[in-house]
Amino acid sequence: MTASLGRPAAGPGAGRKNLMQLIQLRWIAVVGQIATIAFVEWALDIRLPLAPMAAVLAALLALNLVSILRLKAWPQEVSNQELFLALTFDAAALTALLYLSGGATNPFAFLYLLQVTLAAVLLAAWSTWAMVVVTVACFGGLALAYRPLALAPGADLFELHVIGMLVCFALDAALLVIFVGRVSANLREGDARLAALRQQAAEEAHIVRMGLLASGAAHELGTPLSTLAVILGDWRRIPAIASDAELIADVDAMQAEVARCKAIVTGILLAAGEARGEAPAVTTMRAFLAEIVEDRRTARSVDALIYDDCFGDDVAIVSDSALKQVIGNVIDNAVEASPRWVGVLAERRGGTLAITVRDAGPGFAPEMIENLGRPYNSTKGRPGGGLGLFLVVNALRKLGGTVEARNRPEGGAEVLLTLPLAALMLEKPASHG
């Protein structure tokens, strides 16, 4: 058990889960108490005050019903004070039942240890010590005032006490295993959630650093790219080059590549929010996806880039340069792994855009799928490799989407990108009647 015992379990919803565990434990306790009372009354022929005991059990049932209504009607987290009051009520009910059945001489008085254990698991430190004080006071009071048991003639009190202690020990042990096991599962779930949040924070910090580096590099590249564009323009006017068709074709190709580099630099600055005064481009989803695929066909050498547009009814969206780069990056990776064939499928699944990119390459290594989205997770073996999918996963996550990767049974790999359409769609203007 971790050091978090003795304090409220961390993580959203932990208090509500722990209150539900208390409710379930109370159902078990009420059933066990009813069975014990019936056994003592009819099997051992020991007369008990059934009416007052029934009233105490009814109060426990009422507390359970109120607790269930609280969870359903009130979405707020369950506080430490609420859990403390619930455990205090349980201790008071146990005290009332023990008072009516022999007080401190009743072997079931050891159930107070269960209350203290639950407090140590669920409550803050001050509440745990308060529960210790409450249970000790209740036990001490029962030693002074209680209703003696009306034993049958000839009954062996010591033997009955030993049997009662055995039953009490078995009940204590079973309830502790059930309850503490469930609370431990809640704690492990909370720890896993915190670990995931820490991992996400570390990845986002890594992205911020990469963004700063990319933005700085884009600024630095702007000047040499502009210089290259001017030099290539001057070359076109040199007679020796202008008269040579082959050289002119090479200059045209270089100018196209320089223009492409400048567009990439501009896109980086736009994504970093450093290009001001430009309104966001409005397009449609089908045109947006078709433009990405056509751009990859032009930029990459691939024998067959097959695009299936199964999106259905078109919708107006705001063109997102970061998403365009993300999808293009996934297609580029597929082309690099499978230059002969890459398939891209765009579908609309309710309110979600689903893009599936398939290739006929060697597929993903198992460790790559297991560590999908972590930086430098790559089999390309070059410095800085593995950042593509890392950026894809985090960019999609920022937009509320997901990334899944798997190997196809027939060979090759498949990457599925899902994104809520609401993250890109234009808001419909409110109608005025």
Side-chain angles (χ1 to χ4, degrees):
M1 197 75 58
T2 64
S4 57
L5 293 182
R7 294 180 293 179
R16 296 175 65 86
K17 291 179 181 178
N18 288 335
L19 180 58
M20 180 57 69
Q21 298 294 342
L22 276 181
I23 292 171
Q24 295 173 357
L25 184 63
R26 200 173 289 122
W27 291 127
I28 297 173
V30 169
V31 172
Q33 288 161 352
I34 292 174
T36 302
I37 292 171
F39 180 80
V40 171
E41 177 74 18
W42 289 294
L44 300 181
D45 198 24
I46 298 176
R47 295 292 171 257
L48 297 174
L50 297 182
M53 286 184 160
V56 174
L57 296 177
L60 286 174
L61 294 176
L63 175 61
N64 255 10
L65 295 177
V66 170
S67 300
I68 292 172
L69 289 176
R70 182 258 183 259
L71 290 177
K72 290 185 177 180
W74 198 8
Q76 282 80 1
E77 181 62 284
V78 176
S79 66
N80 175 77
Q81 288 79 2
E82 290 180 84
L83 293 174
F84 174 70
L85 288 175
L87 284 174
T88 302
F89 191 98
D90 288 335
L94 176 60
T95 302
L97 291 174
L98 292 173
Y99 172 82
L100 297 170
S101 56
T105 64
N106 189 321
F108 286 92
F110 289 104
L111 286 174
Y112 281 125
L113 291 176
L114 177 62
Q115 305 297 323
V116 174
T117 304
L118 297 182
V121 173
L122 298 179
L123 303 182
W126 70 266
S127 308
T128 302
W129 285 110
M131 182 57 61
V132 171
V133 172
V134 168
T135 53
V136 169
C138 290
F139 191 92
L142 290 174
L144 300 175
Y146 59 92
R147 183 185 184 278
L149 287 174
L151 297 176
D156 187 341
L157 180 60
F158 179 75
E159 182 181 357
L160 291 175
H161 189 80
V162 171
I163 293 174
M165 289 183 64
L166 175 61
V167 174
C168 180
F169 175 80
L171 185 61
D172 256 347
L175 292 178
L176 282 175
V177 168
I178 294 172
F179 186 82
V180 175
R182 291 180 178 179
V183 172
S184 298
N186 288 345
L187 290 172
R188 287 193 296 271
E189 182 181 342
D191 290 342
R193 188 183 298 111
L194 288 175
L197 290 175
R198 291 192 189 100
Q199 178 67 23
Q200 182 175 341
E203 291 175 355
E204 289 176 354
H206 192 87
I207 290 174
V208 169
R209 292 195 299 271
M210 290 177 57
L212 292 173
L213 290 173
S215 178
H219 278 296
E220 295 295 329
L221 287 172
T223 300
L225 288 175
S226 297
T227 302
L228 285 175
V230 172
I231 293 174
L232 290 173
D234 291 340
W235 281 7
R236 289 186 62 88
R237 292 190 291 271
I238 296 176
I241 295 178
S243 60
D244 190 323
E246 186 175 346
L247 288 178
I248 283 293
D250 289 341
V251 170
D252 288 342
M254 286 188 288
Q255 285 182 317
E257 292 303 316
V258 168
R260 177 172 174 76
C261 289
K262 292 178 70 175
I264 293 173
V265 167
T266 301
I268 293 174
L269 295 177
L270 280 171
E274 298 186 23
R276 306 296 184 185
E278 295 189 27
V282 178
T283 182
T284 64
M285 179 60 74
R286 299 179 71 174
F288 177 72
L289 297 176
E291 179 184 353
I292 295 173
V293 174
E294 188 57 36
D295 179 69
R296 302 334 293 159
R297 278 200 184 105
T298 303
R300 305 289 293 191
S301 175
V302 56
D303 296 340
L305 176 53
I306 309 301
Y307 175 51
D308 293 321
D309 182 355
C310 301
F311 184 77
D313 296 336
D314 212 352
V315 293
I317 65 168
V318 176
S319 179
D320 188 303
S321 59
L323 180 61
K324 185 180 295 186
Q325 292 178 7
V326 162
I327 300 173
N329 185 284
V330 175
I331 296 176
D332 283 345
N333 285 345
V335 171
E336 187 170 346
S338 171
R340 291 175 297 174
W341 177 86
V342 170
V344 180
L345 170 65
E347 301 174 284
R348 181 172 184 171
R349 301 177 181 176
T352 302
L353 167 67
I355 301 174
T356 306
V357 180
R358 301 183 179 96
D359 65 58
F364 292 111
E367 60 270 16
M368 285 192 64
I369 296 178
E370 183 179 351
N371 298 311
L372 182 68
R374 294 185 181 178
Y376 311 114
N377 174 38
S378 174
T379 57
K380 296 177 182 177
R382 60 170 182 258
L387 288 175
L389 277 178
F390 169 69
L391 293 173
V392 168
V393 169
N394 284 275
L396 263 292
R397 185 168 59 193
K398 284 290 186 183
L399 294 172
T402 60
V403 180
E404 298 176 20
R406 69 180 186 91
N407 289 323
R408 303 167 64 212
E410 61 272 29
E414 176 178 293
V415 176
L416 172 63
L417 312 177
T418 59
L419 180 68
L421 291 175
L424 296 175
M425 287 176 59
L426 291 171
E427 294 184 2
K428 295 183 179 179
S431 58
H432 300 281

